[in-house]
Amino acid sequence: MHFTGTKHLHEIENIMQEIPNFLPKGHGGTVLKKEMEDYIRGQPPPDSYEEMMSALMAGIGYKPLGERVSRYLEESEGKAVSYRNEKHKAVFEEITAKMDKQNYALLSALYLLTADYRLWKIMKHHVQKNAVDFAGVSLKGIHENGYTLYCVAKDLYLGTKHLSVSDLADTELIRPQIFMLVCNAMAVRRFGMKAVRLAERRENP
């Protein structure tokens, strides 16, 4: 039984309702992966957005996702890559101004949660100093993009398994603009605020 009204929302809802501790829908490994963490930890800080994404993909080691990232980098040349829009940037910078900048998991979650107006309207009541409380959140009225952002934010913050790397590589499941945000959030999870600065540099060379 589905509570949502479109095929794409059904896909997201199916992912969210999976049995805990079982492989996610795509069976391609989770977004948050220990091997990836270990790989990145031993690498020097990237000097460019492209190098940063290359490091992320090398750590994941899933070819279809790497190919999608490569296409995204080619297609996004000269286009905005740092924030969804100016409102997203303003809200994210405001909410993180007094946050612990060393808490990369927190920053990555907030980056995604502030990217969607309806989602943030719900989630802002669950954000306290240096913490996001995902327990008891009601996503009533949220649309498909909001569901996706919520799932990835929770995975990056708590290490849950709502989405797999193969899900991220699926162009029908994760739409281009949302994929851009997910890539940036994954980079923030590994490199902190420097990831956003590198994205802005690429956007405004």
Side-chain angles (χ1 to χ4, degrees), residues 9-197:
L9 279 174
H10 291 171
E11 292 284 348
I12 300 298
E13 191 173 337
N14 287 339
I15 293 170
M16 295 179 71
Q17 292 176 349
E18 285 176 342
I19 302 172
N21 300 321
F22 278 68
L23 286 174
K25 174 181 174 292
H27 306 294
T30 61
V31 174
L32 198 61
K33 187 177 179 183
K34 185 179 185 302
E35 291 85 351
M36 180 180 173
E37 297 252 15
D38 293 341
Y39 177 88
I40 295 299
R41 191 177 295 116
Q43 300 300 302
D47 293 322
S48 70
Y49 187 79
E50 287 78 6
E51 290 176 354
M52 177 172 65
M53 288 301 164
S54 294
L56 288 172
M57 293 306 104
I60 294 174
Y62 185 64
K63 186 176 180 180
L65 182 59
E67 291 174 346
R68 186 177 186 186
V69 168
S70 294
R71 291 195 301 270
Y72 154 63
L73 290 174
E74 293 176 1
E75 295 169 358
S76 65
E77 187 67 35
K79 298 179 182 180
V81 294
S82 53
Y83 293 95
R84 191 173 190 180
N85 49 43
E86 287 300 317
K87 180 65 174 179
H88 177 203
K89 178 179 180 179
V91 175
F92 176 72
E93 290 181 346
E94 179 182 2
I95 194 65
T96 58
K98 297 182 179 179
M99 295 286 184
D100 178 7
K101 299 301 190 298
Q102 299 304 310
N103 190 339
Y104 294 175
L106 172 65
L107 295 176
S108 66
L110 291 174
Y111 176 85
L112 292 176
L113 296 176
T114 56
D116 181 89
Y117 172 77
R118 293 182 184 177
L119 178 61
W120 180 241
K121 189 175 180 180
I122 295 170
M123 291 303 303
K124 66 181 180 181
H125 303 295
H126 297 267
V127 176
Q128 300 177 344
K129 186 176 181 180
N130 295 319
V132 180
D133 182 10
F134 282 93
V137 173
S138 173
L139 296 179
K140 182 178 180 181
I142 204 70
H143 51 66
E144 55 195 274
N145 288 339
Y147 271 122
T148 302
L149 294 171
Y150 174 86
C151 286
V152 181
K154 190 173 182 180
D155 285 353
L156 292 175
Y157 187 69
L158 296 177
T160 49
K161 301 179 181 180
H162 293 304
L163 292 176
S164 72
V165 291
S166 56
D167 292 327
L168 297 182
D170 188 334
T171 57
E172 294 186 4
L173 184 61
I174 308 296
R175 297 176 179 178
Q177 187 181 41
I178 300 302
F179 181 70
M180 175 197 77
L181 296 173
V182 170
C183 286
N184 288 342
M186 290 170 64
V188 171
R189 179 65 177 81
R190 309 307 172 202
F191 301 108
M193 294 299 288
K194 181 175 182 178
V196 177
R197 292 194 293 271

